[in-house]
């Protein structure tokens, strides 16, 4: 009898451990509260922000927990919120299972104000969970009229450059003056309750308050078309203020705002929006309820500063002797300083920064030091990255340290910058002149570069007593959104290769490379959207880039290929060339906001960009002939008989018209979401006409080939749904055959490889992508690694004449997540259909895992197999539902229970190939001992691209 009782208790314990108790017995609590997708943000620029949270079970191991309702409340003080008195908004109980993108619907918010909020949730049985912890957010200046500060500069304004021009070999003969610094003393007379600083510095700035930098971020603020938009930043500086005298100190850099051509320094182009200038407004609220403002105006003082030369392209020269000690502290004698001048701004509206700021994210130590020539030392930092060298040096006054950064070495061991188009006559150079008198630490403030090596020479004095060098990795501080790993070491190294290039090009735009150009080429914003979004939260960056595209759009609807458009690629008559007007690039104005929507579910970017999308499609229609487009760069950098450049293997009809079709079908979906019924019919009809024209011109039904049969030509129609019914498998077979004919090598370029990855992934051919990614001879990812690359290179063959830190070919990351691991996310679908996990059980890979922070919470899973035994372990976040697709030719179980009958499985279906399980929240462990061979094909039907 005792044994029976013990057995029954053991069974009860098993039920508890597997979450078999009813979901209604569990409560949920809201956690990880965000406002505008940020935790406790400062500088929110909308009067109607979005709230979000994730959910946590109060009962371990419970399954299928859902939110049925929520209650939000907002106040201007923590005490009012907790007392439930003086609330500015109380939503009441709202029946909804959605806990992301919940709008604030109270009265309009006020500028420069901190708000506090919390939320409570209910389960379907009516059980209320506990109130969340309190979250908060602080608004920026919500109206242009809130600004009372004046732009200030060191000299009167002169006319800016009308249009920028590419470097043509003609330089300024006169060295520009040193960049100015500014200071202002002010007095605080009462105890402080809060202090918010709003600052815009052009081109870039560093602000000190009482000798301390107000922020750890660097290269502030983001780049824009300053005639249209000027970004400003918001800081809480209460901790830096004290009673009595306080001092602001400001250094300015040129950035993209003022790009000068100077003999002896590289530049991509020359052009200027004007001289460096700044705008500051400090809003102080005292403990007694009164307030005060301290503004930039003519009472500020200015002087030439220590930055003798600074260019985002050419480097920086810094003379430490020119910065007076104590200049940014109270009590400094400002003899010889001049009053600043009040000047006009560049014309753009002031807008609060939304994208993640730049930070020093990592620091590298040299792995090797060499002396290739007398007096020359080369430091190898082991990795290629975006950033700057940081030195500690002690030596005599006036001693000059020159640093030449580069991605590669010459045959004699010296540093070369040929991969970035800089020459020994016009290099990118960093120079530091010592103040003397003790150890000095320095790094460039307003210039960064892509480099692995730093060549150091010392002039104008004896060798330093002390010298050390580090490398600071600088990129945008985008939160990590996902992680991928697999048992294949080569794939893991490729993942890192791509990821490091992504980070190196993650700024306030997506740069093509952090060396030669630093321009925001637009095609990668949508072609590599999954690569970016599955790894990082780049929501703010994508919103900002859409702003850039709208600012750049021409009156005729053309969206230039770069945004901001700092330099227009035109001929001598002012006509746009293929580098300015290419459909595969300009279509980003439609396809980038759409990609963002698919990963976030936030419809607001679609609404904001819809008119610009319509204008661009109308522009493409005006350029088309019979529904076809035949201009632009085509499949840039594909692999043909000539050096890489414009498309060689695929006609421009394919990519230009194909992307035009994608624009129309996407715009029809957007119009549906926004309720523009007439537009839906119009764009759908136009898309069908383009499809017919595309197939009539390019499809050869007798051979089932498109165009000339290149990988791009066959993959793009497959990925976009252009292939006529009945021909899909034959076109797919031709694509696979061409890949095998090239010994599993890629031939597609910047545009086409995206569609190759999608066509093969969506049609269940991970085996082909596995073969392609396994190559280590040229051209391939593996070959880049074999050549010693640590970041993805511009050319498939790691050509040393091309950039060594480019992420435009990073589409393979999408296969790692979507194809190999099997994670598919599409928030354009119903929430119950938005997440799908469909592993590719490849015989040569024993395991793969991925995690991703979806709007519903963190999805985390891992699959593995050994022989015919396989397992899938996954976590479905509380409140979410997802689909799991597994090979159907075996018996999947959780414990001893058939998989389709396990607790938390809400629905299931099965055909000859796929078992489709609909899972509620919880932790699941599925196993089989008879995994069928081959393992590679688990696609129930062709998956549409995310």
């Amino acid at each position: 009898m005792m044994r029976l009782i013990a057995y029954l208790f053991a069974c009860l314990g098993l039920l508890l451990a597997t979450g078999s108790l009813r979901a209604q017995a569990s409560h949920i609590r809201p956690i990880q509260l965000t406002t505008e997708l940020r935790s406790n943000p400062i500088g929110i620029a909308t009067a109607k922000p979005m709230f979000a949270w994730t959910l946590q079970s109060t009962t371990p191991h419970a399954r299928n927990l859902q939110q049925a309702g929520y209650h939000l409340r907002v106040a201007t003080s923590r005490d009012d919120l907790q007392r439930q008195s003086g609330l500015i908004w109380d939503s009441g109980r709202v029946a909804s299972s959605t806990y992301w993108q919940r709008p604030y619907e109270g009265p309009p918010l006020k500028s420069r104000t901190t708000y506090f909020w919390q939320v409570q949730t209910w389960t379907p049985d009516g059980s209320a969970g506990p109130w969340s912890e309190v979250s908060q957010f602080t608004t920026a200046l919500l109206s242009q009229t809130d600004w009372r500060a004046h732009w200030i500069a060191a000299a009167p304004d002169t006319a800016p450059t009308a249009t920028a021009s590419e470097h043509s070999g003609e330089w300024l003969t006169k060295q520009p003056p040193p960049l100015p610094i500014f200071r202002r003393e002010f007095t605080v007379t009462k105890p402080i309750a809060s202090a918010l600083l709003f600052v815009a510095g052009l081109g870039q700035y560093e602000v000190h308050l009482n000798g301390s930098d107000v922020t750890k971020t660097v290269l502030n603020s983001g780049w824009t078309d300053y005639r249209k938009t000027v970004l400003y930043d918001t800081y809480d500086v209460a901790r830096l203020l004290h009673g009595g005298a306080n001092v602001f100190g400001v250094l300015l850099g040129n950035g993209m705002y003022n790009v000068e051509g100077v003999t002896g320094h590289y530049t991509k182009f020359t052009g200027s929006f004007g001289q460096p200038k700044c705008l500051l407004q400090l809003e102080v609220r005292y403990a007694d309820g009164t307030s005060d403002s301290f503004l930039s105006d003519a009472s500020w003082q200015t002087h030439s500063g220590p930055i003798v030369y600074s260019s985002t392209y050419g480097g920086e020269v810094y003379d430490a002797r020119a910065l007076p000690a104590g200049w940014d502290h109270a009590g400094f004698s400002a003899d010889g300083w001049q009053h600043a001048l009040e000047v006009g701004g560049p014309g753009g509206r002031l807008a609060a920064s939304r994208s993640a700021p730049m930070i020093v994210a990592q620091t590298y130590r040299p792995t090797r030091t060499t002396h290739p020539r007398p007096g020359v030392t080369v430091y190898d930092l082991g990795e290629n990255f975006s950033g700057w060298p940081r030195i500690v040096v002690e030596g005599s006054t006036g001693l000059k340290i020159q640093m030449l950064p580069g991605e590669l070495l010459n045959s004699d061991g010296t540093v070369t910058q040929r991969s970035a188009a800089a020459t020994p006559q016009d290099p990118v150079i960093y120079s530091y002149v010592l103040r003397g008198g003790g150890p000095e630490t320095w790094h460039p403030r307003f210039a960064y570069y892509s480099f692995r090596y730093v060549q150091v020479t010392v002039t104008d004095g004896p060798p330093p007593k002390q010298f050390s060098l580090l490398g600071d990795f600088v990129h945008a501080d985008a939160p990590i959104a996902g992680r991928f790993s697999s048992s294949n070491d080569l794939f893991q190294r490729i993942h890192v290769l791509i990821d490091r290039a992504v980070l190196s090009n993650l700024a306030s735009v997506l740069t093509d490379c952090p060396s030669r150009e630093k321009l925001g080429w637009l095609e990668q914003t949508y072609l590599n959207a999954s690569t970016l979004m599955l790894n990082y939260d780049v929501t703010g960056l994508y919103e900002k880039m859409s702003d850039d595209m709208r600012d750049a759009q021409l009156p005729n609807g053309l969206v230039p290929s770069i945004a901001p458009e700092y330099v227009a690629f035109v001929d001598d008559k002012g006509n746009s060339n293929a580098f300015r007007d290419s459909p595969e690039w300009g279509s980003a104005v439609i396809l980038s906001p759409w990609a963002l929507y698919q990963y976030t579910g936030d419809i607001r970017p679609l609404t904001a960009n819809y008119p610009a999308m319509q204008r661009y499609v109308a522009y493409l229609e005006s350029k088309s002939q019979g529904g076809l487009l035949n201009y632009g760069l085509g499949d840039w950098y594909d692999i043909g008989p000539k050096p890489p450049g414009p498309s060689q293997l695929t006609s421009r009809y394919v990519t230009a018209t194909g992307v035009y079709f994608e624009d129309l079908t996407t715009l029809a979906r957007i119009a549906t979401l926004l309720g523009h019924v007439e537009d839906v019919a119009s764009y759908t009809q136009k898309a069908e006409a383009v499809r017919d024209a595309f197939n009539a011109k390019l499809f050869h039904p007798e051979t089932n080939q498109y165009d000339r049969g290149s990988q791009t030509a066959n993959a793009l129609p497959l990925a976009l749904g252009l292939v006529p019914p009945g021909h899909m498998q034959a076109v797919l077979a031709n694509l696979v055959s061409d890949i095998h004919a090239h010994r599993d090598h890629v031939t597609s370029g910047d545009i086409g490889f995206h569609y190759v990855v999608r066509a093969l992934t969506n049609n269940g051919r991970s085996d082909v992508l596995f073969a392609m990614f396994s190559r280590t001879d040229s051209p391939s990812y593996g070959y880049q690694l074999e050549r010693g690359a640590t970041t993805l290179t511009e050319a498939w063959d790691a050509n040393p004449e091309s950039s060594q830190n480019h992420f435009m070919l990073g589409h393979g990351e999408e296969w790692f997540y979507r194809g190999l691991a099997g994670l598919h996310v599409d928030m354009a679908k119903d929430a119950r259909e938005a997440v799908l996990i469909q592993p590719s059980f490849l015989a040569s890979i024993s395991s793969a895992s991925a995690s991703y922070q979806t709007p519903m919470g963190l999805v985390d899973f891992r699959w593995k197999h050994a022989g015919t035994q396989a397992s899938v372990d996954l976590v479905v976040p509380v409140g979410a539902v997802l689909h799991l697709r597994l090979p159907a030719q075996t018996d999947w179980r959780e414990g001893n229970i058939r998989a389709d009958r396990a607790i938390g499985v809400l629905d299931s279906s099965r055909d000859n190939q796929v078992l489709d399980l609909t899972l509620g929240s919880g932790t699941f462990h599925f196993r089989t001992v008879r995994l069928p061979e081959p393992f590679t094909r688990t696609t129930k039907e062709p998956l549409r691209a995310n």
Side-chain angles (χ1 to χ4, degrees):
M1 184 67 178
M2 293 299 294
R3 288 185 178 180
L4 177 60
I5 293 174
Y7 173 76
L8 292 173
F9 270 103
C11 290
L12 178 59
L14 179 62
L15 288 172
L16 289 168
T18 58
S20 299
L21 295 182
R22 292 183 179 272
Q24 287 82 352
S26 300
H27 294 293
I28 55 177
R29 67 164 65 93
I31 59 171
Q32 298 176 328
L33 277 62
T34 62
T35 307
E36 291 292 299
L37 298 180
R38 291 187 284 163
S39 176
N40 299 325
I42 296 175
I44 291 296
T46 175
K48 295 286 185 181
M50 287 287 189
F51 299 129
W53 54 93
T54 56
L55 299 169
Q56 184 182 63
S57 171
T58 60
T59 304
H61 312 299
R63 289 184 176 177
N64 192 26
L65 298 180
Q66 296 287 319
Q67 173 187 291
Y70 67 85
H71 182 184
L72 276 165
R73 58 192 188 197
V74 182
T76 53
S77 78
R78 191 180 297 267
D79 289 342
D80 284 349
L81 187 68
Q82 293 177 339
R83 289 196 303 263
Q84 300 187 51
S85 63
L87 300 178
I88 67 162
W89 181 53
D90 188 324
S91 71
R93 182 168 174 175
V94 179
S96 175
S97 61
T98 303
Y99 45 93
W100 61 96
Q101 303 298 341
R102 298 294 83 201
Y104 169 78
E105 295 178 335
L109 301 177
K110 298 178 180 180
S111 294
R112 55 178 100 71
T113 303
T114 299
Y115 293 90
F116 302 84
W117 69 280
Q118 60 183 170
V119 62
Q120 182 184 36
T121 58
W122 282 266
T123 52
D125 67 346
S127 300
W131 281 95
S132 70
E133 296 293 325
V134 175
S135 185
Q136 67 185 65
F137 64 95
T138 301
T139 54
L141 300 176
L142 302 180
S143 169
Q144 299 293 298
T145 59
D146 290 329
W147 282 95
R148 292 178 291 116
H150 298 274
W151 285 100
I152 58 172
D157 273 337
T158 57
T161 304
T163 56
S165 59
E166 283 195 272
H167 160 43
S168 60
E170 297 180 2
W171 302 107
L172 296 179
T173 57
K174 182 180 178 181
Q175 177 76 24
L179 289 161
I181 57 176
F182 300 84
R183 71 184 308 274
R184 175 68 162 90
E185 287 200 24
F186 60 97
T187 302
V188 172
T189 59
K190 304 176 185 180
I192 294 172
S194 67
L196 293 176
L197 174 64
F198 307 94
V199 53
L202 301 176
Q204 292 172 317
Y205 69 85
E206 184 174 297
V207 178
H208 299 178
L209 187 51
N210 296 322
S212 297
D213 198 332
V214 301
T215 176
K216 293 182 179 179
T217 61
V218 297
L219 298 171
N220 302 297
S221 292
W223 300 337
T224 61
D225 179 344
Y226 302 99
R227 296 183 183 94
K228 304 285 185 65
T229 303
V230 176
L231 298 180
Y232 70 90
D233 300 301
T234 306
Y235 303 107
D236 180 351
V237 295
R239 72 192 188 284
L240 299 177
L241 291 170
H242 53 245
N246 292 263
V247 177
F248 274 123
V250 177
L251 298 94
L252 294 180
N254 285 314
M256 285 290 191
Y257 178 77
N258 184 39
V259 180
E260 300 169 308
V262 178
T263 301
H265 296 274
Y266 168 80
T267 193
K268 169 65 178 174
F269 67 89
T270 59
S272 177
F273 293 87
Q275 66 170 322
K277 57 187 64 175
C278 61
L279 181 74
L280 289 92
Q281 184 162 312
L282 174 63
E283 304 272 1
V284 177
R285 292 181 180 175
Y286 298 114
D288 64 3
T290 60
S291 62
D292 208 348
S293 299
F294 303 96
L295 315 174
S296 55
D297 56 24
S299 66
W300 282 55
Q301 297 169 303
T302 185
H303 196 276
S304 60
I307 301 177
V308 178
Y309 165 84
S310 182
S311 168
T312 194
Y313 289 113
E316 194 162 295
V317 178
Y318 188 100
D319 188 342
R321 298 170 299 180
L323 187 66
W327 73 282
D328 54 359
H329 287 79
F332 172 76
S333 176
D335 293 343
W337 288 57
Q338 306 296 319
H339 281 289
L341 299 178
E342 294 182 7
V343 295
R349 68 179 184 90
L350 288 158
S353 298
R354 287 181 291 176
S355 59
M358 303 281 277
I359 62 167
V360 175
Q362 191 173 352
T363 298
Y364 294 97
R365 296 184 179 277
T367 59
R368 189 168 65 111
T369 303
T370 59
H371 304 279
R373 289 202 299 255
V376 174
T377 303
V378 173
Y379 295 85
D380 179 357
L381 293 159
E383 304 277 352
N384 192 2
F385 58 92
S386 59
W388 49 55
R390 177 156 50 94
I391 61 172
V392 177
V393 59
E394 182 177 5
S396 59
T397 301
L399 188 68
K400 188 175 186 178
I401 311 294
Q402 286 194 317
M403 289 157 277
L404 182 77
E407 297 177 319
L408 299 170
L409 296 177
N410 290 309
S411 58
D412 65 357
T414 57
V415 169
T416 177
Q417 295 178 340
R418 69 183 185 275
S419 64
T423 68
Q425 293 73 39
D426 297 304
V428 179
I429 198 86
Y430 299 119
S431 297
Y432 180 74
V433 180
L434 275 67
R435 176 196 302 274
E440 303 172 42
T441 300
W442 179 80
H443 64 75
R445 280 179 165 81
F446 303 120
Y448 76 106
Y449 196 64
S450 177
F451 67 102
R452 171 177 174 170
Y453 305 96
V454 183
Q455 181 172 300
V456 176
T457 57
V458 178
T459 62
D460 300 339
K465 300 177 184 178
Q466 170 191 348
F467 184 85
S468 62
L469 183 145
L470 302 171
D472 288 337
F473 190 4
V474 175
H475 60 74
D477 189 22
I480 293 174
R483 299 183 187 276
F484 163 84
S485 67
S486 83
S487 59
N488 185 296
D489 179 67
L490 175 60
F491 290 0
Q492 203 62 32
R493 293 170 62 208
I494 294 172
H495 167 65
V496 173
L497 186 83
I498 296 171
D499 183 63
R500 290 186 56 80
V502 167
L503 287 175
S504 291
N505 287 283
L506 207 57
S508 61
V509 300
L510 286 175
T511 60
D512 58 331
C513 58
S515 54
R516 184 181 70 229
E517 295 189 5
K518 296 188 176 83
L519 296 175
W521 291 93
L522 295 179
E523 90 291 1
Q524 56 196 359
T525 67
Y526 72 93
L527 295 173
N528 272 306
S530 291
T531 294
L532 286 151
M533 295 181 190
L534 287 169
N535 283 298
Y536 299 100
D537 179 357
V538 288
T539 303
L541 174 60
Y542 267 68
E543 292 172 344
K544 188 264 181 187
M545 290 190 300
S546 289
D547 294 344
D548 293 338
M549 286 184 251
R550 294 199 308 274
D551 283 351
Q553 190 169 33
L554 273 59
N556 65 359
L558 166 65
V559 175
S561 295
I562 59 171
E565 193 184 26
Y566 291 123
V567 55
F569 298 113
V570 296
D571 61 22
D572 54 7
K573 296 180 180 179
N575 298 315
S576 300
N577 63 29
F579 287 98
R580 192 189 201 202
D581 183 7
S582 190
E584 305 89 342
W585 276 253
S587 292
V589 74
I590 298 166
L591 302 179
S592 291
W594 176 249
L596 180 62
Y597 174 69
Q598 289 184 296
Y599 280 98
T600 66
D602 187 352
I603 202 171
R604 292 177 298 171
L606 302 181
T607 303
N609 291 286
Y610 189 69
M613 297 174 182
Q614 290 183 295
R615 291 173 57 212
Y616 185 65
V617 159
Y619 173 77
L620 291 182
E621 185 176 9
S622 74
K623 299 276 286 186
S624 67
Q625 295 183 352
L628 298 170
L629 293 172
N630 184 31
Y631 74 97
L633 296 173
D635 190 17
W636 178 255
Y637 256 59
D638 65 347
I639 301 172
K642 301 176 183 178
S647 182
Q648 301 180 59
L649 304 181
T650 307
S651 77
R652 294 177 302 181
Y653 278 115
V654 174
T655 54
T657 308
V659 173
Y660 177 33
F661 173 79
E662 187 175 8
D663 290 343
L664 289 166
T665 56
T666 302
L667 201 47
R669 296 181 70 180
I670 294 170
T672 301
L673 287 166
L674 301 182
H676 301 305
V677 179
E678 293 182 359
D679 292 346
V680 175
S682 174
Y683 293 130
T684 300
Q685 183 179 11
K686 290 177 180 178
E688 291 171 352
V690 170
R691 186 207 320 264
D692 292 342
F694 183 92
N695 285 324
K697 175 72 175 178
L698 299 168
F699 184 53
H700 309 292
E702 67 282 1
T703 62
N704 289 295
Q705 298 275 18
Y706 275 88
D707 194 42
R708 301 195 294 271
S710 70
Q711 292 175 15
T712 295
N714 284 325
L716 183 144
L718 283 166
L720 296 181
L722 281 160
V723 180
H727 293 271
M728 283 276 294
Q729 291 305 313
V731 175
L732 177 63
N734 282 332
L735 170 61
V736 172
S737 177
D738 185 83
I739 292 169
H740 290 331
H742 286 89
R743 297 173 55 242
D744 297 325
H745 286 117
V746 61
T747 63
S748 295
D750 178 19
I751 306 299
F753 189 53
H754 164 83
Y755 297 103
V756 170
V757 170
R758 288 228 163 154
L760 293 172
T761 299
N762 294 348
N763 287 280
R765 296 308 305 264
S766 281
D767 57 321
V768 180
L769 286 163
F770 172 86
M772 296 176 76
F773 286 26
S774 296
R775 302 300 310 199
T776 57
D777 53 343
S778 182
S780 66
Y781 288 132
Y783 182 70
Q784 295 184 28
L785 290 167
E786 290 292 311
R787 289 289 300 270
T790 61
T791 50
L792 189 61
T793 64
E794 183 176 13
W796 281 113
D797 62 357
N799 185 341
E801 303 298 324
S802 298
S803 166
Q804 303 298 295
N805 197 343
H806 236 76
F807 88 100
M808 74 178 187
L809 298 176
H811 318 99
E813 191 78 352
E814 182 173 348
W815 178 66
F816 288 149
Y817 275 97
R818 291 184 63 233
L820 180 55
L823 173 65
H824 303 261
V825 179
D826 187 356
M827 295 299 294
K829 299 178 179 178
D830 179 83
R832 294 174 64 91
E833 307 292 330
V835 182
L836 164 68
I837 296 173
Q838 185 169 358
S840 291
F841 291 102
L842 296 172
S844 300
I845 297 183
S846 60
S847 66
S849 66
S851 64
Y852 180 64
Q853 187 69 42
T854 74
M856 294 91 76
L858 183 68
V859 173
D860 191 4
F861 68 99
R862 174 185 177 88
W863 61 259
K864 59 183 179 180
H865 73 81
T868 61
Q869 298 186 34
S871 63
V872 178
D873 300 317
L874 72 156
V875 177
V876 183
V878 175
V881 172
L882 62 74
H883 285 259
L884 173 64
R885 288 182 179 174
L886 300 170
Q889 307 94 325
T890 187
D891 181 26
W892 289 92
R893 291 185 169 268
E894 187 177 39
N896 293 321
I897 302 173
R898 223 172 68 185
D900 57 348
R901 295 179 179 177
I903 298 295
V905 176
L906 308 180
D907 196 7
S908 66
S909 64
R910 181 191 295 262
D911 61 18
N912 291 333
Q913 286 189 316
V914 172
L915 171 64
D916 191 330
L917 303 174
T918 304
L919 306 178
S921 67
T923 301
F924 296 84
H925 312 277
F926 296 108
R927 304 285 186 273
T928 185
V929 296
R930 296 196 307 274
L931 189 68
E933 294 190 30
F935 307 131
T936 58
R937 304 296 297 276
T938 62
T939 300
K940 186 174 184 179
E941 59 188 19
L943 298 169
R944 292 306 302 269
N946 276 358

